[in-house]
Amino acid sequence: NFDITMTLRMIFSIQGFNRLTAFATGAAGGYAFTNPDVDNVYDIFPLHKPPPYAFLNLYKVREEDKHEFEQSWKEVAKFNQRQEGYLFTRFMKADPRAEGYENRSYDYIDIVQWTTGDAQRRATLRSAYTELEKKMPGERLEAPMMFSSVVDDTQKTPT
């Protein structure tokens, strides 16, 4: 009976609490490093990063709505910048100096890069995003087309 009392007293003392905290922290940290998932990878020496996902949107906008469209699009871009997994956006407009400009199918193209396809999906499912998107005049694809990198020459490689 005395041994049980001493054991319980040791477990519920400050020393026992400290030992339990250290054990639990070590176990949780060890589990996190040995069992990573897609969204939670700890790579101390990253040699290969997964490619970002690019989402392509095409827009057809009437001439009189172009200024309003560009302003609305900027609001959508600002919203995306505050979302987890967002990398960057490229927004391009058809150049009237180009040959065949009159026969263009779309006036604007945006390419938004995200770390994962799921990050983009989470951002676009938010009610604030859908409200901002409804304010944009013009026509667009029903859903953006998703692409992943095949070749990326933005990183300088030694020759």
Side-chain angles (χ1 to χ4, degrees), residues 21-114:
T21 303
F23 176 77
T25 304
Y31 180 82
F33 279 99
T34 56
N35 299 297
D37 57 20
V38 173
D39 296 328
N40 200 12
V41 176
Y42 305 101
D43 194 357
I44 297 171
F45 301 106
L47 299 175
H48 175 69
K49 293 275 186 195
Y53 291 85
F55 291 84
L56 179 75
N57 283 304
L58 305 168
Y59 303 95
K60 181 75 172 169
V61 182
R62 293 187 318 219
E63 195 65 39
E64 60 271 12
D65 292 336
K66 287 189 176 184
H67 179 73
E68 181 185 345
F69 170 79
E70 290 175 9
Q71 297 306 312
S72 299
W73 185 91
K74 287 177 188 177
E75 293 302 315
V76 172
K78 288 177 190 175
F79 173 82
N80 284 340
Q81 290 170 354
R82 295 187 303 268
Q83 304 308 306
E84 182 182 348
Y86 171 83
L87 294 175
F88 65 87
T89 298
R90 286 200 176 101
F91 185 53
M92 294 171 266
K93 181 179 181 179
D95 191 337
R97 298 172 296 178
E99 196 173 308
Y101 176 79
E102 295 80 24
N103 299 326
R104 69 193 180 282
S105 298
Y106 296 98
D107 298 303
Y108 295 93
I109 296 174
D110 75 12
I111 301 170
V112 185
Q113 285 206 335
W114 299 85

